[in-house]
Amino acid sequence: MQLLAYVGAVLDEARAWGLIRELGRRARTGNPVCARSGFVADATGRIEEVHAERAQIVIDPNAEPCFQSASRLAPEVRQLLDLYVPLCVGPGARDFVIGHVGQSLDGQIATAGGASRYVTGPENIVHMHRLRSLFDAVLVGAGTVECDDPELTTRLVPGEHATRVVVDPSLRLSHTRKLYRDGAAPTLIVCRQGQAERGAPPRVPVVEVASENALLSVSDVLLALASRGLRRVFVEGGGVTLSHFIQARRLDRLHVTICPMIIGRGRPGISLPGVDSLDQALRPVTRRFTLGEDVLFDCQLPRS
Ligand SMILES: NC(=O)c1ccc[n+]([C@@H]2O[C@H](COP(=O)([O-])OP(=O)(O)OC[C@H]3O[C@@H](n4cnc5c(N)ncnc54)[C@H](OP(=O)(O)O)[C@@H]3O)[C@@H](O)[C@H]2O)c1
């Protein structure tokens, strides 16, 4: 997948983000850019599709190399396009599942007691807000809502809120959690079959999904979300939830952000059953990005 860019006027960071938001909007509405297309951003940030010859930037999901620009792109603009455009274009962009984990050098996402604010630096926090805004749903496990009481809204960058999805199989979480009360964005709970009658927070819909040995089928979770129009899903954590998605081979991309910190015994990021030989290890195609003091590995995973 590549992106060709011809920049006549300056494409600054704000305009580049405006373009990425437009590409994300098209993907979310079922019409991702799948063929070579030109775009310009005007002074107000409005994005318009134009003939490639008049374009500030030309997107081509099927061409190599990713970027060619008539004028030089600032490094931060290049990185922005490089990191996010591939998540929004091409035929696979309509149904796309991405996971993210922010971990220490020793692979922990939080202390044993669950304190995780903040493992990674501010640039990576902004990155997560960007991801939320490019996806239909931001999904977390019950452990994350219990420990962090997060809002899961898009606040640090211009962009839409995703639907907040909490995997709480036995509806054990308190109804007083912020995201159940603030009304800031649509919110949905996914639980095991037969559990919905235990009672959900007011105005928060609950979806029941089949389970085996108390484990919800990740494919069924995704099907249930897709039937509600949530086809682009960002799995924000924590480690247990993300690991279920990796094990089920239902992630298209995995972002692992590593920060220069050693936590010691804590809550692990990715935790999967072992393999007998390294031939059986997952070897994703990766790209690396620097986010402040942190390093982000962008991993392409083969879906089952
Ligand atoms: N650094 C980061 O990137 C990051 C991101 C998010 C969170 N965090 C931190 O991570 C910690 C929480 O992570 P965690 O790994 O302990 O928990 P988690 O993944 O947030 O939640 C795990 C729980 O979610 C439910 N669950 C998720 N998927 C399920 C499935 N397929 N089937 C059945 N149940 C499922 C289960 O709930 P039940 O327990 O009810 O069975 C499970 O125990 C917190 O300390 C939080 O601050 C860090």
Side-chain angles (χ1 to χ4, degrees):
M1 181 172 298
Q2 302 105 17
L3 165 71
L4 301 177
Y6 303 96
V7 179
V10 175
L11 192 71
D12 60 15
E13 216 174 328
R15 288 181 193 193
W17 178 241
L19 170 72
I20 293 162
R21 284 181 62 193
E22 170 62 13
L23 298 176
R25 189 192 65 75
R26 291 183 185 214
R28 289 200 313 277
T29 54
N31 295 304
V33 170
C34 292
R36 192 166 183 269
S37 313
F39 293 91
V40 290
D42 71 15
T44 67
R46 198 169 56 89
I47 307 296
E48 194 187 342
E49 188 164 351
V50 295
H51 191 279
E53 281 174 11
R54 288 208 299 119
Q56 257 182 325
I57 183 159
V58 175
I59 306 292
D60 188 347
N62 305 308
E64 285 282 350
C66 295
F67 283 92
Q68 290 173 358
S69 53
S71 61
R72 236 173 122 249
L73 290 173
E76 60 275 16
V77 173
R78 181 177 292 274
Q79 168 151 319
L80 206 59
L81 296 166
D82 212 8
L83 186 51
Y84 299 105
V85 172
L87 310 181
C88 301
V89 301
R94 182 63 197 106
D95 293 271
F96 199 92
V97 185
I98 190 169
H100 171 273
V101 61
Q103 65 179 49
S104 61
L105 288 171
D106 54 341
Q108 308 297 317
I109 59 171
T111 64
S116 72
R117 284 189 169 139
Y118 287 101
V119 174
T120 55
E123 294 82 357
N124 188 56
I125 306 300
V126 169
H127 170 58
M128 285 194 286
H129 283 240
R130 289 198 196 279
L131 286 181
R132 289 174 189 168
S133 80
L134 296 176
F135 283 76
D136 295 322
V138 52
L139 180 147
V140 294
T144 295
V145 175
E146 185 178 38
C147 291
D148 296 355
D149 197 10
E151 291 169 64
L152 301 179
T153 50
T154 302
R155 305 182 301 284
L156 299 180
V157 294
E160 291 71 37
H161 301 312
T163 293
R164 305 173 293 190
V165 178
V166 180
V167 183
D168 182 8
S170 56
L171 290 186
R172 69 174 167 90
L173 292 172
S174 158
H175 294 185
T176 62
R177 301 282 88 185
K178 251 184 238 155
L179 80 178
Y180 293 153
R181 290 184 293 113
D182 64 11
T187 307
L188 190 69
I189 300 175
V190 179
C191 72
R192 273 199 303 275
Q193 244 155 20
Q195 295 295 307
E197 63 195 26
R198 294 179 60 138
R203 295 174 298 283
V204 179
V206 180
V207 184
E208 293 189 341
V209 165
S211 62
E212 205 178 318
N213 298 327
L215 209 59
L216 302 185
S217 150
V218 166
S219 296
D220 287 351
V221 171
L222 289 173
L223 275 175
L225 297 184
S227 72
R228 284 159 181 78
L230 307 173
R231 310 176 77 94
R232 287 174 54 81
V233 178
F234 167 33
V235 182
E236 190 168 306
V240 170
T241 304
L242 186 64
S243 299
H244 288 316
F245 274 80
I246 298 173
Q247 197 174 344
R249 300 279 200 275
R250 293 311 307 264
L251 285 190
D252 298 294
R253 294 260 175 166
L254 172 64
H255 282 181
V256 180
T257 304
I258 299 180
C259 77
M261 176 194 290
I262 296 176
I263 294 180
R265 194 175 58 81
R267 298 204 184 198
I270 300 166
S271 181
L272 299 173
V275 292
D276 294 327
S277 97
L278 289 179
D279 296 343
Q280 298 164 291
L282 280 175
R283 290 180 191 274
V285 176
T286 59
R287 302 185 300 157
R288 282 190 299 278
F289 296 87
T290 301
L291 294 180
E293 293 294 306
D294 304 334
V295 177
L296 182 152
F297 285 82
D298 169 40
C299 312
Q300 286 184 52
L301 296 169
R303 243 205 221 194
S304 65

